[in-house]
Amino acid sequence: MIKLNNRAKINKPKMRVGRGIGSGKGKTSGRGVKGQKSRSGVAIKSFEGGQMPLYRRLPKRGFNPIQRGNMIAILNLNKIQSYITKKTINTSEVLNSSTLKKLKLINKNSNKLKILGTGDIKDKINIEADLASKSALKKLEKVGGSIQLKK
């Protein structure tokens, strides 16, 4: 009979520890002698041998969000159109973040307004925003409206 590979047996049976001196892993079961690590139920988690542990080396952030002062309200053109059809927004007035906050259409904590071009807009409207996508600018100019970008 020809052997296909000369490697050691792939599925070795699990070593049964603590089964007498003759087994090779008897008495202390390969744990050495005495000490914390020889006892059962002891795990020294995150102990790095006296070195300052990783969880203490890293800065703590807690409940302070990193980008606190940078909340951007996003508004799509189809959303603006739906508000116009519901008569929530008046097309004769300039649409800006302060009027949207008064109407509770965007979050009061947001400090910037970005207009995105998802959907279509049918009515002519003038918008004052901090940021706008190219598609939104194109679609608004097509209808006859405009976006004034704040610097």
Side-chain angles (χ1 to χ4, degrees):
M1 192 168 141
I2 301 168
K3 212 174 182 186
L4 291 173
N5 61 1
N6 295 327
R7 288 188 304 174
K9 197 171 176 189
I10 295 167
N11 293 331
K12 279 187 176 176
K14 189 181 163 201
M15 172 65 79
R16 295 182 72 213
V17 295
R19 293 293 183 278
I21 293 167
S23 69
K25 277 274 191 278
K27 195 187 168 203
T28 54
S29 309
R31 286 174 175 263
V33 194
K34 293 186 180 175
Q36 188 178 12
K37 288 170 116 180
S38 73
R39 317 277 191 245
S40 67
V42 175
I44 309 171
K45 290 186 186 85
S46 72
F47 182 69
E48 298 176 23
Q51 173 179 300
M52 186 62 69
L54 182 68
Y55 70 91
R56 287 183 64 194
R57 275 180 275 164
L58 297 175
K60 301 290 174 276
R61 289 210 303 265
F63 290 92
N64 302 321
I66 302 167
Q67 294 182 321
R68 177 137 202 150
N70 198 14
M71 279 191 55
I72 300 171
I74 292 170
L75 210 58
N76 277 307
L77 289 179
N78 60 357
K79 202 81 170 166
I80 295 169
Q81 184 59 49
S82 70
Y83 289 136
I84 291 168
T85 50
K86 288 178 192 171
K87 296 198 171 31
T88 314
I89 296 173
N90 190 2
T91 51
S92 61
E93 292 175 16
V94 176
L95 188 71
N96 56 19
S97 57
S98 61
T99 54
L100 288 167
K101 282 177 189 177
K102 281 176 192 167
L103 296 166
K104 293 184 179 176
L105 301 179
I106 61 170
N107 191 334
K108 66 177 182 211
N109 297 328
S110 57
N111 18 12
K112 287 186 179 180
L113 175 65
K114 184 167 185 174
I115 307 296
L116 299 179
T118 306
D120 289 309
I121 191 156
K122 298 172 191 86
D123 299 88
K124 178 184 169 184
I125 190 164
N126 295 327
I127 300 170
E128 194 180 291
D130 298 284
L131 306 157
S133 66
K134 289 176 185 174
S135 59
L137 286 164
K138 210 179 282 181
K139 286 177 183 178
L140 267 165
E141 285 168 5
K142 197 176 180 182
V143 177
S146 66
I147 291 184
Q148 287 178 301
L149 295 175
K150 292 182 209 166
K151 287 286 179 267

